[in-house]
Amino acid sequence: MTLRRWLVLLAALLGVALTARLGVWQLDRAQQKLALQAAMEVEAARPPLSAADLGSATPLHRRVVLRGQWLPERTIWLDNRPMDGRAGFYVVTPLRLTGRSDSVLVQRGWAPRDPANRTHLPPVVTPAGEVEITGRLAASPSRLYELGTGEAGLIRQNLDPAAFAVETGLALLPLTVIQTDGTDDGGLLRHWPAPDLGLQKHYGYAFQWFALCALILALYVWFQHLRPRLRRQQP
């Protein structure tokens, strides 16, 4: 075998090994996400927590039943959050917890956006006094791509609880609550999408890597073995 053919064989073997390894890695990532999904389902099935149980080590996705008072003057409207195929906002309001000195950010629900004026905020009822809400624990609200560090104000693209605590001086827990029910409806929709763990993305990437692996192998066999043999057989 000539040096050129050895180099082609080496390049083909490296390409096949690399693409196959990347495909296996994507499948492994998918398995990790499946394990995470199973853990989330286990947490969601456990008995709900109360305000006294919340802390920095509280597991996410756990159900909660909380009592407290809304701080409506600190409400934030997260823009570009569709629900049921309509454009609108996620309404996020701090809830000062009963029996504690701190608060937690609550993703209360969805409100529609005025198509004629995006800065016009729809009316949302925020009851005074103590309320009881149910929900599930989450990290910060889902993040969207934005240029720069983001804007302050009532309407924002993203909201980081730690930065918002510094901005407002509120003692906020390092998590949020996605409200699912409660005495406060406020005219808000709560058809929350299921958490997207990206399983289909990993399966799609794995398919692409394995397909590229097969293509490299097929091209090597065709150009280095089959086509030369067919040429020698021609009269």
Side-chain angles (χ1 to χ4, degrees):
M1 183 180 290
T2 64
L3 177 61
R4 177 178 175 277
R5 297 196 67 178
W6 275 111
L7 291 176
V8 171
L9 175 60
L10 179 61
L13 290 176
L14 289 176
V16 168
L18 177 61
T19 51
R21 181 67 188 89
L22 289 171
V24 171
W25 176 67
Q26 288 294 337
L27 290 180
D28 183 63
R29 290 285 293 154
Q31 288 301 313
Q32 295 176 23
K33 296 293 182 67
L34 285 173
L36 175 60
Q37 186 177 49
M40 290 167 53
E41 292 173 354
V42 169
E43 289 296 333
R46 298 179 66 185
L49 302 175
S50 66
D53 302 314
L54 299 185
S56 58
T58 306
L60 299 180
H61 314 295
R62 188 76 177 268
R63 291 183 297 137
V64 292
V65 179
L66 304 176
R67 299 187 68 85
Q69 289 185 318
W70 294 117
L71 302 177
E73 69 279 5
R74 298 298 188 184
T75 294
I76 296 298
W77 302 71
L78 296 181
D79 201 0
N80 296 314
R81 297 317 202 268
M83 185 170 288
D84 295 345
R86 301 167 60 195
F89 306 93
Y90 283 177
V91 181
V92 183
T93 304
L95 181 72
R96 179 167 291 149
L97 299 170
T98 299
R100 298 181 55 146
S101 60
D102 47 10
S103 304
V104 64
L105 287 175
V106 179
Q107 301 180 55
R108 295 172 56 193
W110 177 92
R113 186 172 67 190
D114 186 345
N117 183 1
R118 66 176 298 273
T119 63
H120 177 256
L121 299 177
V124 171
V125 177
T126 303
E130 188 176 68
V131 297
E132 180 177 281
I133 67 166
T134 60
R136 56 183 171 88
L137 296 177
S140 58
S142 58
R143 292 191 61 83
L144 301 180
Y145 178 77
E146 64 179 334
L147 297 174
T149 58
E151 300 179 354
L154 296 180
I155 300 176
R156 307 188 186 190
Q157 190 84 336
N158 296 298
L159 182 63
D160 177 67
F164 191 64
V166 174
E167 175 188 335
T168 59
L170 295 174
L172 289 176
L173 291 171
L175 43 77
T176 66
V177 174
I178 298 177
Q179 186 177 353
T180 56
D181 198 2
T183 57
D184 160 40
D185 286 328
L188 301 172
L189 291 181
R190 299 195 180 104
H191 303 159
W192 301 109
D196 182 13
L197 299 180
L199 286 173
Q200 297 306 315
K201 176 186 68 175
H202 291 300
Y203 287 134
Y205 287 158
F207 174 80
Q208 292 176 11
W209 286 120
F210 287 134
L212 183 57
C213 176
L215 177 62
I216 293 173
L217 183 60
L219 290 176
Y220 172 78
V221 172
W222 169 254
F223 284 106
Q224 298 300 313
H225 295 280
L226 297 181
R227 195 169 77 163
R229 183 177 301 174
L230 291 174
R231 284 181 173 178
R232 287 194 300 267
Q233 292 176 354
Q234 291 178 354

